[in-house]
Amino acid sequence: MAAVAEAPLFTEAEKVAKLQAAVAGLSQISENEKSGFISLVSRYLSGEAQQIEWSKIQTPTEEVVVPYESLAPPPEELGSTRKLLDKLAVLKLNGGLGTTMGCTGPKSVIEVRNGLTFLDLIVIQIESLNTKYGCNVPLLLMNSFNTHEDTQKIVEKYSNSNIEIHTFNQSQYPRLVVEDFTPLPSKGQTGKDGWYPPGHGDVFPSLLNSGKLDALISQGKEYIFVANSDNLGAIVDLKILNHLVHNQNEYCMEVTPKTLADVKGGTLISYEGRVQLLEIAQVPNEHVNEFKSIEKFKIFNTNNLWVNLRAIKRLVEADALKMEIIPNPKEVDGVKVLQLETAAGAAIRFFDNAIGINVPRSRFLPVKATSDLLLVQSDLYTLVNGFVIRNKARTSPANPSVDLGPEFKKVGDFLSRFKSIPSIIELDSLKVSGDVWFGVDIILKGKVIIRAKPGQKLEVPDGVSLENKEVNAHDDI
């Protein structure tokens, strides 16, 4: 009996052609989005992922990663500062939802301190610059389809502020069904679950496609400062802007020294004569421990990026920004899907005269979880004109390590379990697990561990001071 011939697998070209036909029928997205998506998938299928040759990696010199302390002071004269700031626009990546912290809507509307949200603080900061120097630094918010509607409503409250706010959406791409390489929305998944925003590397084409890039250039803007909306340390820095304008750097990535908490963060390397980002996903298995070591790779990417607008236009129009593709597998209603994403930091190698600047840790203060919220709401920081300033009474340059159990994961639960935030100026580490509740005026110092026994409620009473203590029951306090 003759063997049954197996159906031949689709060639790469056939897969792309089939996908192109399916994507053409998706009316929810623009032609730009369709062609951007097809181009990304084609690159992924051709397996053009650049393999890093470990032996070619060099540690960047101080010409390439410039120490912040070596930057020249910015001009002191008001008119010169205004001229400098008028070359700048600020862009915050605002596509993320607050779901991991138990909040609905954009993450940037979580209250950080004194009843003010991330977005409030950003607006206050830029507004105070515009008022102080008589300049016009606009704020751009790059939303995703997940955050767009909510953000449009929220920015209305700033209509009387001394700041121009522009919003635009990053691309919306269809999730790919792994089994047959078709777009999920073509299979009847018409809701939001059928789509994804393709990472912040998409900021560059989206700026151009939205018309915002040309508008900024026509206003005489030269640089855009891009940062995550949840990084409270990412404030406009005149020294950095002044350096870039003087040295005609097309791209600058702020990096900062690694601590043990940052071992997975991407780092800058010199590779074949250019500066580039090395992410943990690109590292061969046998070198992962070396990558994580603080000795060889001493710095990591904060995702505070300063980029020349004309350079973005030139490179996007030439379709030259071919950043490493990050495949992100997911599952939607039991169907295995793939999201292909890119990161903005990986674009550094395509820009001319690109540099890193090794900045103080204070410029990296992200709030990813309620443990970070504890730090920024405590006496470790104060709020001045929208700027979160670290308390000088804290002598250690590192922040305390804070590990809160799942009971504290959601912002609402976190706020109800702390009547007020304890004083942590002299705290080294805090670990809390179980059903723990905190009173007011509590002081924590050194190494503190508080564990409630299963099924038992543990209340830390008002006015208590705990230093280098392990608490498992009320009697231990």
Side-chain angles (χ1 to χ4, degrees), residues 221-258:
K221 304 298 175 195
E222 292 179 24
Y223 280 90
I224 193 154
F225 173 39
V226 179
N228 296 355
S229 62
D230 65 4
N231 179 6
L232 295 170
I235 59 179
V236 170
D237 187 291
L238 288 165
K239 268 171 81 168
I240 295 176
L241 179 60
N242 187 48
H243 183 87
L244 302 180
V245 169
H246 273 275
N247 293 281
Q248 297 294 292
N249 302 106
E250 286 190 348
Y251 187 112
C252 164
M253 174 186 288
E254 292 185 40
V255 293
T256 198
K258 261 188 197 180

Side-chain angles (χ1 to χ4, degrees), residues 63 118 124 160 175 183 225 240 267 283 302 320 333 386 460 475:
E63 279 80 62
F118 289 105
I124 294 166
N160 296 325
R175 286 174 159 158
F225 173 39
I240 295 176
T267 192
V283 177
T302 63
D333 299 333
V460 183
D475 299 347

Side-chain angles (χ1 to χ4, degrees), residues 210-223:
S210 64
K212 300 297 179 194
L213 185 63
D214 287 330
L216 290 171
I217 291 171
S218 70
Q219 287 171 19
K221 304 298 175 195
E222 292 179 24
Y223 280 90

Side-chain angles (χ1 to χ4, degrees), residues 94 106 108-109 119 141-144 146-159 165-169 212:
N94 190 49
S108 56
V109 300
L119 212 46
L141 299 172
M142 183 170 85
N143 302 322
S144 65
N146 288 316
T147 59
H148 172 69
E149 279 179 33
D150 287 336
T151 303
Q152 293 303 87
K153 291 191 197 107
I154 292 154
V155 296
E156 284 172 15
K157 75 172 186 176
Y158 307 118
S159 55
I165 301 178
H166 303 273
T167 61
F168 67 101
N169 271 14
K212 300 297 179 194

Side-chain angles (χ1 to χ4, degrees), residues 462-477:
D462 297 354
V464 162
S465 182
L466 298 174
E467 184 167 1
N468 293 321
K469 214 158 190 181
E470 184 166 336
V471 177
N472 295 297
H474 195 270
D475 299 347
D476 299 332
I477 294 171

Side-chain angles (χ1 to χ4, degrees), residues 79-280:
S80 308
T81 305
R82 180 171 61 236
K83 258 172 86 173
L84 188 61
L85 283 167
D86 275 335
K87 297 178 192 289
L88 182 70
V90 172
L91 187 153
K92 298 289 180 176
L93 301 168
N94 190 49
L97 292 166
T99 39
T100 50
M101 292 169 75
C103 298
T104 53
K107 187 176 179 186
S108 56
V109 300
I110 292 175
E111 287 188 7
V112 181
R113 196 167 167 132
N114 302 12
L116 298 169
T117 66
F118 289 105
L119 212 46
D120 292 337
L121 296 177
I122 290 162
V123 169
I124 294 166
Q125 290 163 12
I126 298 176
E127 200 179 15
S128 64
L129 271 182
N130 286 341
T131 304
K132 182 176 177 181
Y133 295 106
C135 55
N136 174 24
V137 176
L139 170 65
L140 287 84
L141 299 172
M142 183 170 85
N143 302 322
S144 65
F145 60 87
N146 288 316
T147 59
H148 172 69
E149 279 179 33
D150 287 336
T151 303
Q152 293 303 87
K153 291 191 197 107
I154 292 154
V155 296
E156 284 172 15
K157 75 172 186 176
Y158 307 118
S159 55
N160 296 325
S161 307
N162 180 19
I163 179 174
E164 263 183 51
I165 301 178
H166 303 273
T167 61
F168 67 101
N169 271 14
Q170 75 171 108
S171 304
Q172 175 174 335
Y173 285 176
R175 286 174 159 158
L176 269 176
V177 178
V178 172
E179 190 187 15
D180 58 2
F181 233 70
T182 53
L184 190 57
S186 310
K187 301 201 145 184
Q189 178 56 266
T190 50
K192 280 188 175 175
D193 280 351
W195 307 89
Y196 75 99
H200 46 59
D202 183 56
V203 64
F204 304 117
S206 293
L207 262 174
L208 183 73
N209 293 340
S210 64
K212 300 297 179 194
L213 185 63
D214 287 330
L216 290 171
I217 291 171
S218 70
Q219 287 171 19
K221 304 298 175 195
E222 292 179 24
Y223 280 90
I224 193 154
F225 173 39
V226 179
N228 296 355
S229 62
D230 65 4
N231 179 6
L232 295 170
I235 59 179
V236 170
D237 187 291
L238 288 165
K239 268 171 81 168
I240 295 176
L241 179 60
N242 187 48
H243 183 87
L244 302 180
V245 169
H246 273 275
N247 293 281
Q248 297 294 292
N249 302 106
E250 286 190 348
Y251 187 112
C252 164
M253 174 186 288
E254 292 185 40
V255 293
T256 198
K258 261 188 197 180
T259 67
L260 291 171
D262 319 301
V263 291
K264 289 183 177 172
T267 192
L268 280 184
I269 56 171
S270 287
Y271 192 81
E272 297 182 332
R274 286 185 93 80
V275 59
Q276 77 178 58
L277 183 66
L278 177 66
E279 296 274 18
I280 194 161

